[in-house]
Structure formats: C-alpha cells, structure tokens
Amino acid sequence: MSSSPRFRRIATAAVSALVLLALLVVGTQLQVPYAALGPGPTLNTLGTTKVEQDGKVVERRVVQIDGAPLDKTTGNLNLTTVSVSDGLTLFDALGMWMSGKYALTPRDEVYPPDRTTEQVQEENAQQMTGSEENATVAALRFLDRPTVLRIAGVGADGPSADVLKAGDVVTRVGGVEVETSKELRDVVSKNPPGTVLPLEIVRQGTPQTVSVTLAAHPDDPKAGFLGVAAEVANADPSLKVTYTVGDIGGPSAGMMLALSVVDQLSPGELTHGKFIAGTGTITDDGQVGPIGGITHKTRAAKDAGATVFLVPARNCAEAVSDRPDGIELVKVETLDGAVDALDAIGSGRPAPTC
C-alpha cells in the first residue's frame, strides 16, 4: 500500500526542516579552526589616548617626553594595527570572508598549538616593550643625543660569564668603538673562536679593560661568540620617554613611535599638517623592518583619513597589490629615510614610492 501524496509532502517538509535546523545549529555553534584578520584601530602617536586610572578615565599622551623642551607638532603620525577575530563559528567565518574586509587564516598561525592564548598575548606585549625601547634609542641616535651600549644579560655558561656583568657599558671592542648591538656583533664575529678579545667598559662609573676568550658561534663555528645580550639605552637621566598604546602588541609600531619622538624633540613639523600613517619594526640603529598584514593596515589608514602611508621596503610589493584609492605608499628602509621622505612630501618634492 503506497503512501498518500499528502503524507510524502509532510515527510519531505519535516526532513527538510530537520536538515535546516541541523545546519543552523552547526553554523551558529560549531567553531572553525580559523581566525579572521582585518583592519584594526589606528592611533595618532602625536596625540592622546584615554586610559583608566584609579577607577577614572583620563587622557594621556601616546608618546610622553619629559626632561627636554618640546617643539610644536600638528597633523597625524598614526601607527596602524591588524584586528584578529577568534572563536569564529562557521557562519561568522563565512560572513567575514564574504565581506571582503577580512582574510581567514589557520588559527594555529596566530595562536600556535604549543602556546596558550595568554602566552601569545604576553609575547606580543614583550615585543611591544622592545619596540618602544628601540624606538626611543633610534630617535635619540638620529637626533645625536647621548646613548650608551650596555650589557643586558650574560649567558651563565658562555665565554663572558666570569668577565662581564649586566649593566656594564661597552665603549670599545678590540680597539674598535661600538655604539650599537649590531656593531658589537659585527666586531666580535669577525674574530675566530679562541681569540682573546679586549673590551673597554665602564662598570659602576669606573672605566676598565677586560678580556674574553671567544667561543664558537652556535650558528657559525668559524665566527667568534661573546655570549651576551646587549642593548642601547638613553644616557641622559633627565630625559624620559614613556608610551601609552593600550593593549596594542607586537613590534610593528616601532618606526611610527620613533618618528613621534623625533618630531617632538626637533624643530619643524615632520607631518607639515598632513595625516600620515605607517608601520614597520625598528632596530636600535634605525633600520626599518617588514611586518604582517600590510594590506589590512593600509585599508585601516585610509578609513581613518590618512593620505600618506609609510611602508617598509620589503612590504612594498604586497602593499601595491591592494592599494586603497587616494593614499600614497612611501617606501621606507631606515628612520633617516622616513624623515627625509616626510620632508620631501612637505616641500612638494617626490618621495620614494612603492
């Protein structure tokens, strides 16, 4: 005995409803192993930001400089960020991808499986701290203000363990004057393992000369190895630079922070009243390095009102591939080059572009 057409229609509708309900449950509840990357907030390093203090919301300068006369600044020098959306359901991921503003990436690339979310956030915070320190030093060196090269740490089992101490200020190595960590590495690595290398240092205010027998570098057995971590630091105790960037992490704000310090401590205006945005890591000797998410950052800058975007040279090809309309992409390799480019733009001269 065959089913009536009405019964078959009811059964088909019921099955369809169940399938639709299952899809809705899966789509709204099942998390996918992807994160969405998109344009993040931008922050004017010449301006102020709101922070909570003692239960109240107060305004602070993003880059606060004390102990030196400051020059007037106008315009914007905005650092840029990438937003990360995690814990996405299937429908969340599809909606963000279809919007055209976000890119999906495997979650493991953002939050590696061998680290917790909290550990990744702590690492990002540490990278920001290092970026701030490099920004200060790079700016002070650009401005010919005093800095020192000092030992930040000594490897317990390394060749310097019984010779150098954290806090030692290094002035010469093998008779060569050194001012940055890179210069120190370059001098040391040119000497073969086993070389007894003299170092002129200042320890607790007392100049002295010590000698270290170099070991072999872990990555190059023919190069000498000192076994220390060195850093460049501000040598003027009256000058203090502090940064308030909120919960922004990672190293990519370094160049924009350094430009803010330069602008505030030097005559004239780097922006010439324009809205400048940018990104890039920075070393203590002013080298600008590449970052991730450049197209998200240029889009965020354009949405915020920027007309010029400073791009690390190694990010240029990617930046050009998805350039927002109405924004000039300026290629930057060093802090000096960034300042020169902004001077050129302000005076109507061509700047290096991507």
Side-chain angles (χ1 to χ4, degrees), residues 134-144 257-259 261-262 335:
N134 282 348
T136 298
V137 169
L140 295 181
R141 284 177 51 78
F142 174 84
L143 296 167
D144 292 324
L257 296 174
L259 286 172
V261 176
V262 170
L335 179 59

Side-chain angles (χ1 to χ4, degrees), residues 46 71-77 263 267-276 307-308 338-349:
L46 296 176
D71 193 62
K72 178 185 175 182
T73 61
T74 63
N76 287 57
L77 284 173
D263 201 6
E269 299 176 6
L270 290 184
T271 67
H272 297 272
K274 297 180 181 293
F275 194 136
I276 312 293
T307 56
V308 175
V339 173
D340 289 344
L342 293 178
D343 285 342
I345 291 169
S347 61
R349 295 180 285 111

Side-chain angles (χ1 to χ4, degrees), residues 9 17 23-24 29 44 84 101 120-121 129 144 161 169 175 180 200 220 267 270 288 313 319 324 331:
R9 287 196 299 271
L23 286 174
L24 286 173
Q29 300 297 322
N44 183 13
V84 179
K101 292 184 177 181
V120 171
Q121 292 172 342
T129 298
D144 292 324
V169 173
T180 68
E200 297 178 33
D220 183 357
L270 290 184
V288 174
K331 180 170 66 175

Side-chain angles (χ1 to χ4, degrees), residues 229-243:
E231 63 183 6
V232 184
N234 173 28
D236 180 359
S238 65
L239 178 66
K240 297 188 182 302
V241 183
T242 55
Y243 301 90

Side-chain angles (χ1 to χ4, degrees), residues 99-336:
S99 74
K101 292 184 177 181
Y102 297 87
L104 298 181
T105 189
R107 187 182 186 278
D108 288 354
E109 292 186 7
V110 181
Y111 300 104
D114 59 342
R115 281 175 283 175
T116 65
T117 300
E118 291 73 20
Q119 287 174 324
V120 171
Q121 292 172 342
E122 176 61 26
E123 180 180 313
N124 287 338
Q126 291 174 352
Q127 289 177 336
M128 172 56 82
T129 298
S131 179
E132 292 170 350
E133 293 170 351
N134 282 348
T136 298
V137 169
L140 295 181
R141 284 177 51 78
F142 174 84
L143 296 167
D144 292 324
R145 289 178 175 264
T147 59
V148 292
L149 176 64
R150 68 186 178 195
I151 302 300
V154 182
D157 300 321
S160 301
D162 298 323
V163 182
L164 295 172
K165 297 181 179 181
D168 287 345
V169 173
V170 182
T171 56
R172 288 180 176 272
V173 178
V176 179
E177 184 177 1
V178 290
E179 296 182 346
T180 68
S181 51
K182 180 180 184 301
E183 290 175 353
L184 175 62
R185 290 193 302 269
D186 289 346
V187 172
V188 171
S189 64
K190 289 178 182 177
N191 291 274
T195 300
V196 179
L197 193 66
L199 292 89
E200 297 178 33
I201 66 171
V202 179
R203 179 175 294 165
Q204 296 181 344
T206 303
Q208 54 187 284
T209 299
V210 298
S211 295
V212 177
T213 302
L214 301 181
H217 196 284
D219 298 326
D220 183 357
K222 295 181 180 180
F225 180 63
L226 201 57
V228 300
E231 63 183 6
V232 184
N234 173 28
D236 180 359
S238 65
L239 178 66
K240 297 188 182 302
V241 183
T242 55
Y243 301 90
T244 303
V245 297
D247 59 359
I248 295 173
S252 64
M255 178 184 65
M256 300 309 294
L257 296 174
L259 286 172
S260 177
V261 176
V262 170
D263 201 6
Q264 293 186 64
L265 288 176
S266 60
E269 299 176 6
L270 290 184
T271 67
H272 297 272
K274 297 180 181 293
F275 194 136
I276 312 293
T279 188
T281 64
I282 200 161
T283 61
D284 57 18
D285 60 352
Q287 300 297 311
V288 174
I291 51 79
I294 186 67
T295 57
H296 300 307
K297 292 184 175 183
T298 55
R299 188 173 298 116
K302 171 61 178 177
D303 292 344
T307 56
V308 175
F309 193 96
L310 304 179
V311 182
R314 288 168 57 187
N315 286 124
C316 267
E318 183 183 0
V320 170
S321 71
D322 191 16
R323 179 206 310 262
D325 293 334
I327 193 166
E328 181 180 2
L329 303 182
V330 175
K331 180 170 66 175
V332 176
E333 297 183 78
T334 65
L335 179 59
D336 293 56

